[in-house]
Amino acid sequence: MSHFWSSLTHELRPYVPGEQPHMAELVKLNTNESPLGPSPRALEAIRGEATETLRLYPDPQATALRAALATYHHVGSEQVFVGNGSDEVLAHTFAALLKHDAPLLFPDITYSFYPVYCRLFGIAYEAVPLDHAMQIRVTDYRRPAGALILPNPNAPTGVALSRAEIATLLEQHPDAPVVIDEAYVDFGAETAIPLVASHANLLVVQTMSKSRALAGLRVGYAIGDADLIEALTRVKDSFNSYPLGRPAQAGAIAALEDEAWFQQSRARVIEGRERLNRGLVRLGFDVLPSSANFVFARHPAHGGAALAAALRQRAVVVRHFPAPRISDYLRITVGTDGQIDRLLSALSDILRGKPAPA
Ligand SMILES: *Cc1c(COP(=O)(O)O)cnc(C)c1O
């Protein structure tokens, strides 16, 4: 607290990202990073940009990357916006499209960055409760709204809506922007991108951080009607004209070109998720049906905070949210087979009351 701060700064409640601890032999399953490396072709393209040309500013419109994304997703370049991670794309989206007289709607259990942006930009919102099965019920969104945003699959539950359900939401709110945050869509959900052609109010946000294993490169993007994209560009060019550096633009293009790597890597994550799922069920956990690269699970006899702390003593880090309705759950990222085995054996020891190694 300082009297140098603006009143806005005093009001902020910043997002708390999952920690990046430095521990020996750590099994890090807390921030939904990919257990597999990025495409070797992406790495080569990034290295290729580590040259003297770095003295020059990058293309402020990221024209080549936007064209590559447009081709990949069968839309026009004017329907594509790119940013420094999808968090930045989301921030610009909140500023450009989500502030209206009527409240913004999003689920009560969802990506915890959304209320943070609402405070930053002074946006009134209403949190719509998930149902008893921790699922989004689209009929609950049939109420006055200035705009809607939801992740699909939802975070941190991992539960997905079908494309038909997204279409229902769009038809319930033809005059309000509807933003679908598809950070995890490649792990088993249906993308809403095909609905962009018929719905001028739909914006779909995706990222290279999860399914393309490039969280460290910071590349996210949005696809929607050219009018929505123009709004995002206006905000971006009022904030930072050069959000993506040369290595990020080149690396992202190369990652998109390596379809074989992408398909193989997401298939391996999906297989890992099913193995993790079975292992947790065997240990007595309730596991929500996940279409993401993580699972959300609770044990009927053990609290989430205690389990997370006991895992940490065994150098296994998972995400726990000390929030209403979800404090008994753990969000566990799908790791390599070896990491999944370490997690399951640590949980098995904890449930049997075996003391942690000193
Ligand atoms: C990880 C995540 C993001 C942000 O990803 P970036 O790394 O900023 O692209 C956005 N939305 C959800 C729901 C996420 O889980």
Side-chain angles (χ1 to χ4, degrees):
M1 286 277 193
S2 158
H3 68 276
F4 294 124
W5 292 9
S6 68
S7 56
L8 170 65
T9 306
H10 283 287
E11 291 300 311
L12 298 178
R13 300 278 182 278
Y15 177 73
V16 182
E19 57 173 340
Q20 298 287 351
H22 299 283
M23 291 161 65
E25 308 278 312
L26 179 70
V27 176
K28 187 176 180 303
L29 303 176
N30 66 330
T31 52
N32 299 343
E33 287 145 332
S34 169
L36 314 163
S39 152
R41 283 168 64 177
L43 295 181
E44 195 183 304
I46 292 162
R47 279 187 216 105
E49 291 297 318
T51 66
E52 195 266 340
T53 51
L54 279 176
R55 74 191 176 78
L56 300 172
Y57 281 104
D59 174 4
Q61 323 299 352
T63 313
L65 172 56
R66 286 175 43 243
L69 285 164
T71 303
Y72 192 87
H73 290 293
H74 309 291
V75 297
S77 282
E78 73 291 350
Q79 294 176 290
V80 181
F81 178 83
V82 299
N84 191 256
S86 59
D87 282 341
E88 186 186 76
V89 175
L90 289 168
H92 291 340
T93 300
F94 274 72
L97 299 170
L98 303 187
K99 185 172 182 172
H100 299 279
D101 293 337
L104 171 66
L105 304 183
F106 51 76
D108 65 335
I109 308 297
T110 196
Y111 189 31
S112 49
F113 223 134
Y114 299 162
V116 173
Y117 292 132
C118 285
R119 266 189 188 263
L120 176 61
F121 298 117
I123 299 170
Y125 68 89
E126 253 172 54
V128 181
L130 299 183
D131 70 11
H132 291 300
M134 302 295 271
Q135 317 240 359
I136 291 170
R137 204 161 37 196
V138 296
T139 49
D140 292 343
Y141 288 76
R142 222 185 278 142
R143 59 168 96 180
L148 270 66
I149 182 165
L150 42 106
N152 192 42
N154 195 16
T157 61
V159 179
L161 293 176
S162 68
R163 187 182 297 144
E165 289 172 301
I166 302 289
T168 303
L169 281 175
L170 289 161
E171 278 137 32
Q172 283 169 8
H173 295 281
D175 298 321
V178 174
V179 180
I180 307 299
D181 177 356
E182 295 188 346
Y184 302 104
V185 76
D186 295 323
F187 301 108
E190 294 177 301
T191 177
I193 290 174
L195 300 173
V196 163
S198 49
H199 296 82
N201 57 332
L202 170 62
L203 188 78
V204 178
V205 178
Q206 294 197 354
T207 177
M208 300 226 162
S209 295
K210 306 324 186 340
S211 58
R212 295 186 192 269
L214 289 170
L217 198 62
R218 312 306 301 132
V219 180
Y221 56 96
I223 292 181
D225 190 85
D227 178 63
L228 301 182
I229 300 304
E230 187 187 339
L232 296 181
T233 307
R234 286 172 71 93
V235 170
K236 170 219 164 225
D237 286 329
S238 306
F239 181 80
N240 176 5
S241 305
Y242 303 102
L244 289 191
R246 290 170 175 274
Q249 295 187 30
I253 292 169
L256 278 178
E257 286 168 351
D258 200 346
E259 186 67 12
W261 176 91
F262 173 65
Q263 294 300 346
Q264 198 184 343
S265 136
R266 70 181 185 145
R268 280 183 58 188
V269 170
I270 292 168
E271 278 167 34
R273 178 181 71 214
E274 297 319 310
R275 214 164 72 77
L276 171 59
N277 221 315
R278 288 192 297 273
L280 289 169
V281 168
R282 239 181 272 124
L283 292 172
F285 281 83
D286 300 325
V287 188
L288 294 183
S290 172
S291 301
N293 66 344
F294 58 84
V295 299
F296 206 48
R298 68 174 168 186
H299 197 281
H302 297 265
L307 283 177
L311 282 170
R312 202 170 200 291
Q313 287 182 318
R314 291 160 175 84
V316 178
V317 183
V318 300
R319 193 90 198 259
H320 171 254
F321 299 91
R325 295 188 76 188
I326 55 170
S327 61
D328 277 342
Y329 283 87
L330 300 177
R331 191 197 67 188
I332 307 169
T333 303
V334 176
T336 59
D337 284 349
Q339 290 175 319
I340 294 170
D341 290 342
R342 281 267 314 268
L343 168 93
L344 292 172
S345 98
L347 280 173
S348 163
D349 289 350
I350 293 163
L351 298 179
R352 286 185 290 117
K354 193 175 160 193

